[in-house]
Amino acid sequence: MATGKKTYQNTILDIAEALKLSPATISRALNNHPYVKEKTRNDVVEMATKLGYRRNHMASGLRSNKTRTVGLIIPRVSMFFHAEVITTIQNDLHKHGYNLIICQSNDSVSMERELAETLYASRVDALIAACTLQTIDFAHFDKFVEHGTPVIFYDRVPVKAYRATLIKGDDFQGAYAATSHLIAAGCKRIAHVSGPLTSNLYQDRAAGFLKAMEAHGLSVNQDWVFHQELSHENAFKAMHKLFETTAVPDALFADNDTTAIAAIEFAKARGIAVPESLKIAGYSNDPRTAIISPAVTSVEQFPNLVGRRIVETLVDLLAAEQEGAVYKTEPIIIPVKLISRMSTSTI
Amino acid sequence: MATGKKTYQNTILDIAEALKLSPATISRALNNHPYVKEKTRNDVVEMATKLGYRRNHMASGLRSNKTRTVGLIIPRVSMFFHAEVITTIQNDLHKHGYNLIICQSNDSVSMERELAETLYASRVDALIAACTLQTIDFAHFDKFVEHGTPVIFYDRVPVKAYRATLIKGDDFQGAYAATSHLIAAGCKRIAHVSGPLTSNLYQDRAAGFLKAMEAHGLSVNQDWVFHQELSHENAFKAMHKLFETTAVPDALFADNDTTAIAAIEFAKARGIAVPESLKIAGYSNDPRTAIISPAVTSVEQFPNLVGRRIVETLVDLLAAEQEGAVYKTEPIIIPVKLISRMSTSTI
DNA sequence: TTGTACGCGTTATCAA
DNA sequence: TTGATAACGCGTACAA
């Protein structure tokens, strides 16, 4: 261990004293207030640098009631889609002079509640959230809404009406496109491994799947439809069930890529030929889908586009805040695109 | 757009007024100060809930000079290793009542500087940083050190002595083990695709590689050693160079898994048999290495262990702060482990 | 264009 | 065990 002494903190008062000016002038100079003589401003900036002055966000935030900080709550930073969204959000917010506090809920509702509490305590200027799959009650976001702080939900959004802005991918169309693609490839016996129906994601994807089946005159075998946490382990369990009898599916639509990849692994281990005997489609276009062989067909969600729209919307809301606009009433839907790969090939 | 009104903010003064107590007592009750009557505390907590009181971090931080917030600067949240480290850090810090502000530098030195500035302005109680590969000058962290704020560097750490705590993987041993493993598999003509030598990571891995070669009496072909940004694209370029002549290597040690995976893809495209004609080892044990075929041998860095040690060390430093201990003088080295897979198999 | 004076919400210090 | 009061560092009416 080594020792370090606490040193003196320079404040605008120190700059004022050194320059024989009032703290008010220093504050104005540092905040690009119009009524400051150019020379004064230069002197102040120079002295600030010389003294190693750093603004204290807490003091200025307390006074001005603005933090220029945005809070973000997501289930996990390690999910490809979210990692990309974060990167875009951070970069774009930075251009507008906002900072970002990133928090992980680990897909735990109680953690999500605590994080919301903390971010509120930090008085963030806005909140962005991708909720957990189990979040049904959104009351822990009420305080933001009541306080006039814009809230943007993306990806996993409230199913019921809520006074916040919604930005989400077109899950219905994504599922519809993937299912139709499988059908066009000649599949008739299509299984669907989906997530918990508490989430809008899987409600919409399930609806898209059913609609596509119906539109093509195919019946859905309920034994082949799963709603479960989309883990690698659960995917294997589902695959075991699907292939434990003689009547087996000829295609699988998986609601995430982890499940699709597990299905590929299962098929390899069992000697089931993909795509010949079983075609597989996933969701999210995780980089792993392109690496595994056979490469997996998946649905691209354009995370960068999602991130960009989030920040655009946020900046808009923040700018209009004095007029009292805290959310967009219409959900913003980001289009998706099916990426066809070997796992659904007919050649 | 919809409208939302700004509502009244309740403060400890409101609670004090409602309870006919002084704000000081409210503060003490809410902070679990010992000298508060049990009944008073209960009354306060009850009234706080009733009024929807939320502490204002800015005000308490300003006054107490503690934020119970830790800043984290990393190159990218989307890198597997870092994503895992973050998760552990956040969860462990949370147990100790600390919050985490995660910031991405995008591997840009100027962004790293700005983020350091911002986190200092937020007066975080401690800073954790994995620097960019180009960070040679660490002056932007000086203000923390001078202010007595503990700084912990991990993974990418200053090469020269710096008044901060260092936590890193055993890159020398990792590279030594991987190279020795290739040699034990019968390889004699080993190429090394490494990163920029500005970073401790690649200095150490390069040293480990050389030491292993030397220890086994093998000579290093300098045309087969690359120091470059470890991107997918650069990896392909390096592979092209390696295989453009008739004298080709029989093994590749890559300093990250992206490079190793690109090498596998290159080999497939060129009809080079892996592992028969070319053995490949990567670094970091990214999940993709287990998915691609052939699966890639890699070096596990135990990100969860790294994260745990970071928080342990931090909590220790924070607790001892009044005694003036702001860093550990000895670097903390986390062991690594070679994970052998098909890409280096001799069967 | 600059200075004066106050307050943001909380906590530390002292006194009661 | 509680209260009164000042102070943290900054921004902003208002006055000059």
Side-chain angles (χ1 to χ4, degrees):
Chain A
M1 290 242 194
T3 334
K5 69 176 195 304
K6 293 266 183 186
T7 45
Y8 182 67
Q9 281 212 34
N10 287 307
T11 72
I12 53 171
L13 266 90
D14 298 294
I15 303 178
E17 201 171 328
L19 256 32
K20 305 285 176 209
L21 287 169
S22 79
T25 304
I26 310 301
S27 175
R28 282 188 282 252
L30 258 21
N31 288 302
N32 297 316
H33 186 98
Y35 292 161
V36 178
K37 204 172 27 171
E38 199 51 31
K39 174 168 178 351
T40 307
R41 191 190 310 282
N42 293 338
D43 287 354
V44 169
V45 170
E46 192 183 330
M47 183 56 74
T49 311
K50 186 178 161 198
L51 295 180
Y53 167 80
R54 327 267 170 182
R55 185 196 306 265
N56 185 323
H57 271 174
M58 289 180 291
S60 66
L62 180 60
R63 182 61 240 249
S64 68
N65 218 24
K66 297 213 175 319
T67 55
R68 294 204 72 80
T69 297
V70 173
L72 171 65
I73 300 178
I74 43 160
R76 302 198 79 96
V77 295
S78 59
M79 296 171 75
F80 173 75
F81 172 75
H82 290 290
E84 291 296 303
V85 173
I86 291 175
T87 301
T88 305
I89 290 179
Q90 169 142 355
N91 291 343
D92 287 8
L93 276 181
H94 185 259
K95 288 176 199 156
H96 290 276
Y98 282 92
N99 298 117
L100 183 67
I101 300 185
I102 305 167
C103 301
Q104 276 196 126
S105 67
N106 291 326
D107 241 318
S108 143
V109 179
S110 66
M111 179 70 104
E112 181 175 288
R113 276 201 208 98
E114 287 189 51
L115 294 174
E117 203 65 46
T118 300
L119 289 173
Y120 185 83
S122 295
R123 299 296 190 272
V124 290
D125 288 347
L127 181 70
I128 305 170
C131 296
T132 79
L133 294 172
Q134 288 77 40
T135 307
I136 301 170
D137 178 12
F138 291 79
H140 46 298
F141 297 109
D142 288 352
K143 49 188 168 292
F144 293 94
V145 175
E146 285 159 14
H147 184 253
T149 304
V151 175
I152 293 191
F153 291 106
Y154 82 94
D155 195 53
R156 295 131 174 243
V157 308
V159 174
K160 288 179 293 187
Y162 193 85
R163 291 182 292 152
T165 305
L166 267 41
I167 298 185
K168 47 188 248 187
D170 197 338
D171 292 292
F172 180 88
Q173 280 304 329
Y176 189 91
T179 309
S180 300
H181 175 75
L182 291 168
I183 296 169
C187 302
K188 293 190 180 339
R189 309 162 58 75
I190 308 180
H192 185 202
V193 177
S194 179
L197 284 177
T198 43
S199 170
N200 65 294
L201 297 178
Y202 307 118
Q203 288 181 13
D204 293 354
R205 292 181 198 169
F209 168 75
L210 292 178
K211 186 74 179 179
M213 294 293 276
E214 186 191 323
H216 295 87
L218 294 181
S219 64
V220 174
N221 181 341
Q222 286 306 330
D223 290 343
W224 292 349
V225 174
F226 297 80
H227 288 286
Q228 58 186 23
E229 187 201 341
L230 293 170
S231 66
H232 193 266
E233 191 189 353
N234 281 347
F236 263 90
K237 284 187 192 156
M239 291 303 284
H240 268 111
K241 278 198 190 142
L242 285 172
F243 286 89
E244 72 187 354
T245 62
T246 47
V248 297
D250 59 7
L252 167 68
F253 170 44
D255 272 14
N256 77 351
D257 289 325
T258 295
T259 302
I261 287 165
I264 295 269
E265 291 170 348
F266 176 89
K268 267 190 204 167
R270 276 285 195 100
I272 302 165
V274 178
E276 294 80 358
S277 312
L278 178 68
K279 299 200 194 322
I280 298 176
Y283 212 104
S284 289
N285 203 24
D286 183 301
R288 292 175 297 166
T289 58
I291 281 179
I292 198 168
S293 57
V296 181
T297 293
S298 194
V299 178
E300 168 64 46
Q301 298 179 291
F302 303 105
N304 300 321
L305 189 52
V306 173
R308 200 191 315 155
R309 287 302 297 277
I310 290 172
V311 175
E312 281 171 9
T313 309
L314 206 49
V315 168
D316 197 34
L317 289 172
L318 253 9
E321 204 174 6
Q322 56 275 40
E323 300 155 35
V326 293
Y327 67 101
K328 312 271 185 189
T329 48
E330 287 303 310
I332 296 169
I333 311 288
I334 309 293
V336 296
K337 186 183 173 196
L338 185 77
I339 308 291
S340 175
R341 297 204 179 86
M342 188 56 71
S343 70
T344 57
S345 170
T346 51
I347 307 172
Chain B
M1 287 240 195
T3 332
K5 69 175 194 307
K6 294 266 180 186
T7 45
Y8 181 65
Q9 281 212 34
N10 286 307
T11 71
I12 53 171
L13 266 90
D14 298 296
I15 303 178
E17 202 172 330
L19 255 34
K20 306 285 177 210
L21 287 169
S22 80
T25 302
I26 310 301
S27 176
R28 282 189 282 253
L30 258 21
N31 288 301
N32 296 316
H33 186 98
Y35 292 161
V36 177
K37 202 168 34 170
E38 199 51 31
K39 174 173 181 343
T40 307
R41 189 190 312 281
N42 292 339
D43 288 354
V44 169
V45 170
E46 192 182 331
M47 183 56 74
T49 311
K50 186 178 163 200
L51 295 181
Y53 166 80
R54 325 266 170 184
R55 167 178 297 157
N56 185 323
H57 271 176
M58 291 182 289
S60 69
L62 180 61
R63 182 61 240 242
S64 69
N65 219 23
K66 298 215 174 315
T67 55
R68 295 203 73 80
T69 297
V70 173
L72 171 65
I73 300 178
I74 42 159
R76 300 198 81 95
V77 296
S78 59
M79 297 171 73
F80 173 74
F81 173 74
H82 291 290
E84 290 296 302
V85 173
I86 290 174
T87 301
T88 305
I89 290 179
Q90 168 141 356
N91 290 344
D92 286 9
L93 276 180
H94 186 259
K95 289 176 198 154
H96 291 275
Y98 283 91
N99 298 117
L100 183 67
I101 301 185
I102 304 168
C103 300
Q104 275 196 126
S105 67
N106 290 326
D107 240 319
S108 143
V109 179
S110 66
M111 180 71 104
E112 181 176 288
R113 277 200 209 97
E114 288 189 52
L115 293 174
E117 203 64 46
T118 300
L119 288 173
Y120 186 82
S122 295
R123 300 293 190 274
V124 290
D125 288 348
L127 180 70
I128 305 170
C131 296
T132 79
L133 294 173
Q134 289 75 39
T135 307
I136 300 170
D137 178 14
F138 292 78
H140 46 298
F141 297 110
D142 288 353
K143 49 189 168 290
F144 293 94
V145 176
E146 285 158 14
H147 184 253
T149 304
V151 176
I152 294 191
F153 291 107
Y154 81 93
D155 195 48
R156 297 130 174 243
V157 307
V159 174
K160 288 178 294 186
Y162 193 85
R163 290 183 293 153
T165 305
L166 268 41
I167 298 185
K168 48 190 247 184
D170 197 338
D171 292 291
F172 179 89
Q173 280 304 329
Y176 189 91
T179 309
S180 300
H181 174 74
L182 291 169
I183 296 171
C187 303
K188 292 190 182 337
R189 310 161 58 77
I190 308 179
H192 185 202
V193 177
S194 178
L197 285 177
T198 43
S199 170
N200 65 295
L201 296 178
Y202 307 119
Q203 289 181 12
D204 293 353
R205 292 180 199 171
F209 169 73
L210 293 177
K211 186 72 178 178
M213 293 293 274
E214 187 192 323
H216 296 86
L218 294 180
S219 63
V220 174
N221 181 342
Q222 286 305 328
D223 290 344
W224 291 350
V225 174
F226 297 79
H227 287 285
Q228 59 186 21
E229 187 201 339
L230 293 171
S231 67
H232 194 266
E233 192 188 352
N234 282 346
F236 263 89
K237 284 186 193 158
M239 291 303 284
H240 269 110
K241 278 199 190 143
L242 285 172
F243 286 88
E244 73 187 355
T245 63
T246 48
V248 297
D250 58 7
L252 167 67
F253 170 44
D255 271 15
N256 79 350
D257 288 324
T258 296
T259 302
I261 287 165
I264 296 270
E265 290 169 348
F266 176 90
K268 266 189 205 165
R270 276 285 194 99
I272 301 165
V274 178
E276 294 80 357
S277 311
L278 178 68
K279 300 199 194 324
I280 297 175
Y283 211 104
S284 289
N285 203 25
D286 182 302
R288 292 175 297 165
T289 58
I291 280 179
I292 199 169
S293 57
V296 181
T297 293
S298 194
V299 178
E300 167 65 46
Q301 299 179 290
F302 303 106
N304 300 321
L305 190 52
V306 172
R308 201 191 314 154
R309 286 302 296 276
I310 289 173
V311 175
E312 282 172 8
T313 309
L314 206 50
V315 168
D316 197 33
L317 289 172
L318 254 10
E321 204 173 7
Q322 55 275 38
E323 300 155 34
V326 293
Y327 68 102
K328 311 272 185 187
T329 48
E330 287 302 312
I332 296 169
I333 312 289
I334 309 292
V336 296
K337 188 183 174 195
L338 185 77
I339 309 291
S340 175
R341 298 203 178 88
M342 189 54 74
S343 70
T344 57
S345 169
T346 51
I347 307 171

